[in-house]
Amino acid sequence: MDLVGPQQRGLFIGGTWREAEGGEDFAVLDPADGSVLARVADASVNDAIEALDAAVAVQEEWARTAPRARGEILRGAFELINERADDFAELMSLEMGKTVAEAKGEVSYGNEFFRWFSEEAVRIHGRWMQAPAGGSRLLTVKKPVGPCFFITPWNFPLAMGTRKIGPAIAAGCTMVVKPAELTPLTMLALAQVLTEAGLPEGVLNLIPSTRAAELSKALMEDDRLRKVSFTGSTPVGKILVRQSADQLQRMSMELGGNAPFLVFEDADLDAAVEGAMVAKMRNMGEACTAANRFLVHQDVAREFAQKLADRMGRLTVGRGQDDGVDVGPLIEEKAVESVHQLVTDAIHDGATLVTGGTSPDGPGFFYQPTVLVDVHPESEINSHEIFGPVAPISTFADEEEAVRRANATEYGLASYAYTRDLARTIRLAESLAYGMVGINTGLISNPAAPFGGVKSSGFGREGGFEGIEEYLDTTYVALPADH
Ligand code: NAD
């Protein structure tokens, strides 16, 4: 908690930490025992509009800063976060529940967005070309889209922020950030780091709040706001897209997933089990990229399930900060209930429990790593984002069936496949209807790669060369060459 002193538990608007209107605040809980970790200022609609005022006031000046200067601020923040990596990891572990080891992984991953976009800041360029008919020249100029509004989820408190804030700073946009009310502390610490790295007042404004719906509506009705980037659930994403219609803000939507994890008969099964552990158990299964459905060829399904159940059954569940713990608590009581309901329904539909299936007695919101086999394809657990440590396994007979079932979902974020067949790999890359396909790996997230989905998983990309484009508009300049 060293990173978030009493002062940094307020709103951060126009470079100043301050209380919320009326002195309102809310409690942030430790999911390992339900105790209060801290109280944080609870922004009102008026506070949010003031945050937008602050962002708008400095937008033009910020857009004129040298790209190198913006890049250096990001690079400076990257260095500071590295220096404080252990503190960031502990803070994230406390407010979100993940183990400290996992939280260190997120610090490293999340911070890489700052390094990547510090490098991208100086590579924003337009083009110069001759019109096809000759004569005139066609030029393009890239400009920052303007003031942005970011809404982030609780599952990756640092990384979901840095992959929006990094490219926005690099592109020359100002911003208002509303972190998840369940995990606002990491973002407060991040604002402090950016300030120390030299980010000018008003460029980043932070408004923790329990009134997400009201705030977003008020901000999006304001024609000064030009862009919204949201990471969270698909139902909320749809509300925001509808809300964007009146002012036609540019939108980036990183929404839910229902990732298939395919294991073919030619796969290296031990490697597939390793990959499955990562794809399923990263963040206790509370990741939009989490493997949600295991589809395994019928000839190898029994062996794969046994090996996976053996690994899952040996994991130690406990407080994320304790030594020897592999799996921390889920984020809240509701999450445990929802996961358990999915497991119970799957068993009712004919699935067999191989390991887990229970939640240890409280306090805290724990759920035992669970493996189910013979899961009915129509079971709710196959269409619903589980967001917990449960691996439902069902079988397929051939590649055609595997791909058809993998694609039989409204979602299209991450997908995984284990095979040693190169021709099949190419077919899968082209036929899986997903924004991301991992072949023989359970970990696809990489700041240098374009992260994002299709269908109900949203649109827009974060990271990679694509990530900064979300924050840039293109102006085309027609230039007759004979003048
Ligand atoms: P959520 O949609 O409930 O909340 C996300 C954020 O939206 C929070 O900050 C919340 O306060 C805010 N919010 C809620 N209602 C709102 C409204 N009406 N208007 C504006 N903001 C509102 O999601 P969550 O439970 O925090 O996160 C889990 C979801 O996020 C999962 O579906 C997961 O798949 C998704 N997710 C997606 C990605 C991705 O990159 N695609 C990454 C992480 C999480």
Side-chain angles (χ1 to χ4, degrees):
M1 296 290 292
D2 292 352
L3 291 177
V4 191
Q7 192 194 15
Q8 283 84 30
R9 298 177 193 186
L11 313 179
F12 185 63
I13 298 179
T16 306
W17 292 97
R18 68 159 174 82
E19 284 195 346
E21 185 184 26
E24 302 255 327
D25 64 5
F26 64 98
V28 182
L29 305 185
D30 178 346
D33 58 16
S35 63
V36 176
L37 281 173
R39 297 196 69 84
V40 166
D42 192 355
S44 67
V45 166
N46 288 335
D47 291 324
I49 297 297
E50 277 180 37
L52 181 59
D53 292 343
V56 169
V58 299
Q59 175 58 62
E60 276 186 29
E61 190 185 345
W62 177 238
R64 280 196 303 271
T65 54
R68 177 69 77 200
R70 300 197 298 267
E72 292 293 326
I73 291 168
L74 284 174
R75 179 70 199 205
F78 168 80
E79 304 293 350
L80 286 172
I81 292 169
N82 270 349
E83 281 168 25
R84 298 173 200 174
D86 289 350
D87 291 340
F88 265 100
E90 197 200 289
L91 181 62
M92 240 190 303
S93 170
L94 277 171
E95 68 172 339
M96 191 273 166
K98 65 181 79 183
T99 63
V100 171
E102 279 213 58
K104 282 184 181 165
E106 182 180 344
V107 174
S108 159
Y109 166 62
N111 201 15
E112 275 303 321
F113 286 98
F114 277 2
R115 176 152 67 175
W116 176 261
F117 286 108
S118 76
E119 293 156 348
E120 288 299 281
V122 293
R123 313 209 194 294
I124 299 166
H125 48 77
R127 64 173 187 262
W128 173 293
M129 72 179 273
Q130 189 176 14
S136 59
R137 301 294 184 263
L138 315 180
L139 280 60
T140 63
V141 184
K142 297 279 184 175
K143 301 173 184 169
V145 295
C148 304
F149 179 38
F150 298 153
I151 307 172
T152 56
W154 49 265
N155 57 349
F156 292 98
L158 182 76
M160 298 303 101
T162 53
R163 58 185 199 180
K164 300 183 194 306
I165 295 168
I169 289 178
C173 295
T174 61
M175 64 209 85
V176 176
V177 183
K178 195 213 76 64
E181 54 270 50
L182 292 167
T183 61
L185 301 175
T186 305
M187 200 74 87
L188 296 169
L190 190 63
Q192 179 65 30
V193 160
L194 282 161
T195 305
E196 287 176 41
L199 192 69
E201 288 176 1
V203 174
L204 179 138
N205 304 279
L206 187 54
I207 48 165
S209 180
T210 56
R211 304 175 178 91
E214 274 176 78
L215 294 198
S216 71
K217 192 161 177 301
L219 287 173
M220 292 176 72
E221 278 168 0
D222 194 315
D223 64 359
R224 297 173 302 166
L225 184 75
R226 294 317 316 142
K227 158 101 196 172
V228 176
S229 178
F230 171 74
T231 301
S233 61
T234 297
V236 173
K238 288 182 180 176
I239 294 173
L240 294 171
V241 171
R242 280 189 206 106
Q243 233 165 243
S244 72
D246 283 344
Q247 302 297 349
L248 285 175
Q249 280 111 357
R250 278 186 63 183
M251 304 294 281
S252 300
M253 289 284 129
E254 295 285 354
L255 308 178
N258 179 7
F261 189 104
L262 308 178
V263 183
F264 288 91
E265 64 280 20
D266 63 347
D268 174 339
L269 270 199
D270 289 329
V273 171
E274 281 309 310
M277 289 300 290
V278 177
K280 180 72 252 179
M281 293 308 295
R282 180 165 171 246
N283 230 34
M284 291 86 77
E286 294 173 312
C288 51
T289 50
N292 212 55
R293 296 171 289 152
F294 289 83
L295 301 173
V296 187
H297 190 274
Q298 58 198 20
D299 291 352
V300 294
R302 180 179 289 269
E303 189 184 346
F304 175 82
Q306 266 163 5
K307 288 185 168 180
L308 185 63
D310 181 49
R311 289 290 306 276
M312 293 277 272
R314 281 192 277 124
L315 295 174
T316 305
V317 178
R319 201 183 168 84
Q321 301 86 53
D322 289 351
D323 288 341
V325 167
D326 305 301
V327 186
L330 300 187
I331 189 70
E332 55 184 346
E333 183 67 41
K334 266 193 300 188
V336 175
E337 287 164 11
S338 147
V339 169
H340 191 60
Q341 190 62 49
L342 289 170
V343 170
T344 310
D345 289 351
I347 293 170
H348 182 259
D349 294 342
T352 303
L353 187 67
V354 189
T355 187
T358 55
S359 66
D361 288 340
F365 315 129
F366 297 96
Y367 201 80
Q368 212 62 44
T370 299
V371 176
L372 294 163
V373 292
D374 299 329
V375 175
H376 194 282
E378 301 295 319
S379 259
E380 180 76 3
I381 202 164
N382 273 335
S383 56
H384 196 96
E385 205 175 17
I386 304 170
F387 248 56
V390 180
I393 301 176
S394 55
T395 60
F396 63 82
D398 58 27
E399 186 181 314
E400 186 277 327
E401 184 192 350
V403 171
R404 180 169 42 78
R405 284 183 39 204
N407 287 344
T409 168
E410 65 171 298
Y411 294 104
L413 190 63
S415 57
Y416 306 87
Y418 272 75
T419 176
R420 284 189 271 214
D421 181 334
L422 179 59
R424 173 179 280 151
T425 298
I426 293 167
R427 287 194 298 274
L428 290 174
E430 294 177 359
S431 60
L432 286 170
Y434 288 83
M436 298 176 283
V437 181
I439 300 289
N440 296 331
T441 178
L443 184 65
I444 49 176
S445 299
N446 191 311
F451 186 106
V454 297
K455 295 158 65 182
S456 288
S457 294
F459 47 79
R461 292 294 179 266
E462 292 191 316
F465 303 118
E466 292 82 353
I468 200 163
E469 291 295 331
E470 305 278 319
Y471 299 91
L472 295 169
D473 282 333
T474 302
T475 296
Y476 146 60
V477 183
L479 201 67
D482 50 359
H483 276 227

